[in-house]
Amino acid sequence: MGERRGHIVLWGLYGLAWCLAPWLLTASYAQVLASQIGIAILSCLAYNLLLGQGGMLSFGHAIYGGAGAYAVIDALQTLQAHPPTGAAATWIVAALPLWGALAGAGLAAGLGALCARHSGTAFGMITLGLGELVAAVAQMAPQVFGGEAGRSANRVLNASAWHFGPSSHLLMLVAGYTLAGTAALWALTRTPFGLLLGAVRDEPERLAFLGHSPAWVRWQALVLSGAVSGLAGGLAALLFERVSPDVFSGARSAALLLFVFVGGSAHFVGPMWGAVWMVLSLTALASLTPAWPLYLGLVFLWMVWRAPQGWAGLLSDAHAALRTGWVPGQRLRSMGRGLGQIGRGLAVAGAVVWAVEALYRRQFGA
């Protein structure tokens, strides 16, 4: 009962934060950053539907978000040629991310038929090949995908109506979709399909013996994940009003894998932590130091070596330890050891940062 009450409080705070964000964040930069975090949360949760819940390691998942982004940009360009009038423009733009979700689901339905029959390494290699194939096609068809310049469109279709021109208005839209997507994916883990997905990850042979097709379950998971990824891609297209073939790149797929793992793929909130780290790393950290890719690589290596359960797993272990009811003397000793480990870790991290920054200044003058 206490754990259930804790979940209700945490989800209530999460929903309240998104509801208040458009009103509390007044700076345009903060509003855009919050919108990016919401989009990243949807992308990482969609990826973790495969990795954490279904045990499917995908190396080309960014293509579904890219499909959603291009679908929305194409729809915006079409609507600009024939703009709707009145309040209809507002509702049409608000519904465009659903068109992106449909595009992502459609691409996943087609490509998923090629890889859902396999698992493990074979699944990963097929997704890698499909991802590179789509990325290559996008580069070779500039008349469709816009080449290096990409394609752009204006999300404001009718200035006389309530529109999404201000970043605060778009943040309201992103917050609504993020809350709805998070709630839907959380509810999915409590359904029979969520249990089947866990069985595909842990015991596919036993699941097949019970009469369920693991390939069919994987395909359904791919379609659902592609839909949520396409939704996130559509929101990103509305936010930046531009999309280029880079959205299909392997680097985008690798970033999803890296930050979902760092956040903790075994926990539902892990990808959400990873999404926050991803946005802050690619924006704030990248503006502070040119060595940010090196730091990300070091963090990833450390997590694989010392904490494969991710940040969410570390927090879960710490919470479980606090509830075990230690003897006072043992608690003090454990706290002392924990503080000592934190201190040593901070000292090592500080030394690494100092050495890296000194080397960069010496070699590149940055």
Side-chain angles (χ1 to χ4, degrees):
M1 188 66 180
E3 185 176 356
R4 181 181 180 183
R5 188 182 297 113
H7 286 162
I8 294 175
V9 171
L10 289 176
W11 285 115
L13 292 174
Y14 175 74
L16 183 63
W18 278 114
C19 291
L20 295 180
W23 312 102
L24 296 180
L25 300 177
T26 57
S28 178
Y29 174 79
Q31 293 166 355
V32 172
L33 191 67
S35 297
Q36 289 180 276
I37 290 175
I39 294 169
I41 286 175
L42 289 176
S43 298
C44 290
L45 285 175
Y47 184 79
N48 199 55
L49 183 64
L50 300 182
L51 178 63
Q53 299 179 41
M56 291 172 275
L57 180 59
S58 174
F59 292 106
H61 200 71
I63 59 177
Y64 307 120
Y70 268 102
V72 169
I73 285 293
D74 184 72
L76 276 178
Q77 290 180 337
T78 303
L79 290 170
Q80 284 177 351
H82 307 282
T85 59
T90 302
W91 293 105
I92 290 174
V93 173
L96 279 180
L98 298 178
W99 177 244
L102 185 61
L107 182 62
L111 299 183
L114 301 176
C115 53
R117 299 177 182 177
H118 305 274
S119 61
T121 303
F123 180 90
M125 293 300 99
I126 293 174
T127 58
L128 176 62
L130 291 175
E132 293 298 322
L133 176 63
V134 172
V137 170
Q139 294 288 350
M140 292 188 298
Q143 67 277 11
V144 177
F145 297 96
E148 293 183 0
R151 295 173 61 181
S152 59
N154 192 345
R155 64 175 180 258
V156 180
L157 299 179
N158 189 343
S160 62
W162 194 88
H163 55 81
F164 294 102
S167 55
S168 59
H169 292 182
L170 190 64
L171 177 56
M172 295 179 189
L173 183 66
V174 172
Y177 275 114
T178 301
L179 279 175
T182 305
L185 290 173
W186 169 257
L188 182 67
T189 63
R190 292 329 194 231
T191 62
F193 176 76
L195 298 177
L196 287 176
L197 196 55
V200 165
R201 177 194 62 208
D202 299 329
E203 295 289 346
E205 294 84 3
R206 183 172 297 181
L207 183 67
F209 179 78
L210 294 175
H212 297 280
S213 171
W216 173 242
V217 176
R218 292 191 195 100
W219 183 84
Q220 288 178 291
L222 278 166
V223 173
L224 289 173
S225 181
V228 180
S229 295
L231 176 67
L235 289 171
L238 289 180
L239 176 62
F240 298 110
E241 298 179 303
R242 178 184 175 274
V243 62
S244 68
D246 290 339
V247 295
F248 300 113
S249 67
R252 296 288 183 100
S253 300
L256 288 174
L257 170 60
L258 189 153
F259 286 102
V260 166
F261 181 85
V262 169
S265 61
H267 302 266
F268 184 83
V269 298
M272 299 165 69
W273 280 104
V276 175
W277 280 102
M278 178 166 65
V279 174
L280 294 180
S281 299
L282 300 180
T283 55
L285 183 60
S287 65
L288 291 175
T289 172
W292 64 271
L294 176 60
Y295 293 135
L296 290 184
L298 292 176
V299 170
F300 182 73
L301 289 176
W302 183 85
M303 296 297 292
V304 172
W305 178 39
R306 300 292 295 177
Q309 71 272 38
W311 288 109
L314 290 175
L315 293 175
S316 178
D317 292 343
H319 180 259
L322 291 175
R323 297 182 59 186
T324 54
W326 295 331
V327 177
Q330 293 178 346
R331 177 178 298 181
L332 290 176
R333 288 193 294 270
S334 298
M335 290 179 63
R337 287 195 297 269
L339 291 175
Q341 292 175 354
I342 292 174
R344 289 193 297 271
L346 291 176
V348 172
V352 170
V353 170
W354 178 84
V356 170
E357 293 301 319
L359 180 61
Y360 263 73
R361 286 189 178 92
R362 180 178 178 181
Q363 293 293 117
F364 308 107

